Amino acid sequence: MPRVLSAGVLLALLLFTPGVRAQSVSYAQMLETAARQLSQKNYCEATATFAQAFADSTQAGPFDLYAGAGTAAQCPGRQPQAMRWLLLLSRQPHLSISTRDVDNMAREESLRSLHTLPGWPRFLTNMRQAAARHTTETQRVATVWQSTARGQALPVPAQQGVFVPARPGFALYYAPVDTVQVPYLVYVPATYQPDRRTDLIVYLHGGVATTTQFQAADPGVAQEPIFAIAATRNALVLYPFGRQSFGWLEQRAALDNVHQMIAQVKQRYHVDSRRVYLGGMSNGGTAAFWFACQSPKGFAGFFALSALPVSALGPLNFRQLRRGSPLYSLHAEDDQLYTYPKVAAIYAQHKAQARQWHFLSQPTGGHSFLYAPEGPALLDMVLAQIMQRPAR
């Protein structure tokens, strides 16, 4: 439970998560019915639907129970039921919750009618204990993750062009810039062979504008779709980390440092220099446009997902895309962050000179379509467009 929202919003999120689709169809249908009732503020009807759904308590997850409790708390006479669901929630193992989440729950307006019930202090105590356990476990997992990734890093070979075997998985390295040690991962597929040249995908993540620290200690990064796709394509992945004060939106040094990272990877792994590709998601996709338009040398192709092709570092030179390495971009038409009409207008303005910019779109998916169930297949489709071409 990464953050606390109103019961209605939580339910809306719940209905579009993979966990619900994995549950029984009837359970999902009941939740959909509750969502409709809740949207109409029929709190008592929605409470009854939740109660029916929770008859088999093994299917009820944390978001389900929290949404149901917030609904029942607003139905006269059903506050005890709401409290029972919250206590059931607080006893679930392995809750992903923080102290801040619990503080937000304590202030949640939809739960205010429960504050005088005997179970309310016990609920908050249970949740604070769960948050403390989660914090401890998160720190332990992060320490193990970093230690393992550092342990898989390869030394610079004594002889240039001689490559040693590398263990599959993730290796953590650093590329210094002045006093900043910039971390980056190298993903090695199980099919990698040091005696054969291998494709390299440079992937720049999104969220740089809101990330205050490098996220190298977060094991969740391993779930980025690019890694599973690279495994099927026998490709290495270079995954730099960025942050607000050193990222690829406003700091030219961060963009230049990507070239240093590529050089370090080529020292340690048998990279096919003719088949190095660069792309990214959101802020990372904007950086892909910058490389394609301002610094394309050394790359066989570019890709950008949910990206705004506007650089804070100055106007992009779209004429670079008249010829040479292609750039494929994919945008959802219902993107609410970087709206499709705005991106489409930029493409229309420059398409005559940027003939190697291939602008693709899909009707739905929003800004984060990459993380929807169909997202990885869409990314793989885009990569296929640039990686199947003969290397230049």
Side-chain angles (χ1 to χ4, degrees):
M1 300 176 66
R3 57 183 179 142
V4 176
L5 302 171
S6 68
V9 174
L10 279 170
L11 184 57
L13 291 173
L14 169 69
L15 293 176
F16 292 96
T17 57
V20 170
R21 285 185 290 273
Q23 292 166 333
S24 70
V25 174
S26 60
Y27 184 87
Q29 288 174 339
M30 284 186 280
L31 290 183
E32 290 174 1
T33 299
R36 287 193 299 270
Q37 294 166 336
L38 190 53
S39 68
Q40 298 167 359
K41 298 185 178 181
N42 294 329
Y43 299 115
C44 293
E45 292 181 13
T47 298
T49 304
F50 274 118
Q52 184 181 2
F54 296 163
D56 179 3
S57 62
T58 61
Q59 294 199 81
F63 282 105
D64 314 44
L65 292 166
Y66 188 71
T71 302
Q74 298 177 82
C75 174
R78 299 304 296 270
Q79 285 74 24
Q81 178 67 78
M83 197 69 255
R84 285 194 292 272
W85 286 340
L86 286 182
L87 289 172
L88 181 59
L89 158 63
S90 72
R91 292 192 293 269
Q92 292 209 346
H94 313 301
L95 285 174
S96 298
I97 192 168
S98 69
T99 299
R100 183 176 180 181
D101 291 333
V102 182
D103 291 339
N104 288 338
M105 284 182 173
R107 295 190 296 266
E108 173 60 41
E109 187 63 31
S110 67
L111 302 178
R112 183 170 296 277
S113 65
L114 309 182
H115 289 189
T116 58
L117 297 184
W120 180 253
R122 186 162 78 254
F123 163 69
L124 292 180
T125 297
N126 291 349
M127 295 303 283
R128 294 193 191 285
Q129 291 173 347
R133 291 193 298 269
H134 177 66
T135 298
T136 300
E137 178 62 12
T138 299
Q139 293 172 345
R140 185 194 69 79
V141 171
T143 299
V144 172
W145 158 258
Q146 277 195 301
S147 176
T148 301
R150 286 196 185 104
Q152 298 204 160
L154 298 178
V156 176
Q159 184 178 349
Q160 185 176 359
V162 176
F163 305 101
V164 300
R167 282 180 287 177
F170 297 91
L172 179 61
Y173 298 93
Y174 294 86
V177 178
D178 295 328
T179 59
V180 180
Q181 293 289 327
V182 185
Y184 67 91
L185 291 173
V186 173
Y187 171 74
V188 181
T191 50
Y192 172 74
Q193 298 182 35
D195 60 343
R196 295 185 181 181
R197 292 183 298 182
T198 306
D199 294 359
L200 174 64
I201 301 171
V202 182
Y203 185 86
L204 306 177
H205 65 75
V208 171
T210 57
T211 301
T212 57
Q213 300 294 332
F214 296 126
Q215 300 297 304
D218 181 9
V221 68
Q223 303 306 313
E224 283 281 1
I226 188 63
F227 300 121
I229 294 170
T232 66
R233 292 184 169 275
N234 185 35
L236 296 160
V237 178
L238 163 56
Y239 189 98
F241 290 95
R243 66 186 187 193
Q244 283 178 349
S245 59
F246 196 86
W248 27 85
L249 287 182
E250 299 180 0
Q251 290 81 33
R252 172 64 186 269
L255 293 161
D256 292 339
N257 196 34
V258 171
H259 288 291
Q260 180 181 343
M261 294 175 180
I262 294 172
Q264 291 181 356
V265 171
K266 287 181 175 179
Q267 285 182 302
R268 295 174 169 89
Y269 303 91
H270 198 170
V271 173
D272 188 339
S273 294
R274 301 168 302 169
R275 300 185 63 84
V276 178
Y277 308 92
L278 182 143
M281 155 76 182
S282 190
N283 294 161
T286 295
F289 273 99
W290 185 91
F291 278 101
C293 294
Q294 314 299 116
S295 185
K297 185 178 180 181
F299 297 105
F302 304 90
F303 61 96
L305 310 177
S306 302
L308 181 65
V310 176
S311 175
L313 298 174
L316 294 174
N317 181 17
F318 289 100
R319 292 178 63 85
Q320 283 282 8
L321 289 168
R322 286 176 299 173
R323 60 178 68 89
S325 300
L327 181 148
Y328 279 78
S329 67
L330 179 59
H331 214 86
E333 295 175 15
D334 61 349
D335 191 324
Q336 297 297 308
L337 182 59
Y338 302 142
T339 63
Y340 176 79
K342 183 175 183 178
V343 178
I346 296 172
Y347 171 71
Q349 180 183 357
H350 297 287
K351 68 178 181 179
Q353 57 181 328
R355 292 189 294 269
Q356 285 289 63
W357 177 6
H358 305 274
F359 182 45
L360 310 175
S361 66
Q362 62 165 12
T364 60
H367 186 71
S368 300
F369 71 82
L370 174 61
Y371 302 105
E374 66 277 8
L378 292 170
L379 173 55
D380 191 47
M381 175 198 71
V382 172
L383 286 172
Q385 301 302 315
I386 60 174
M387 298 182 75
Q388 70 184 0
R389 290 169 175 252
R392 296 180 181 273

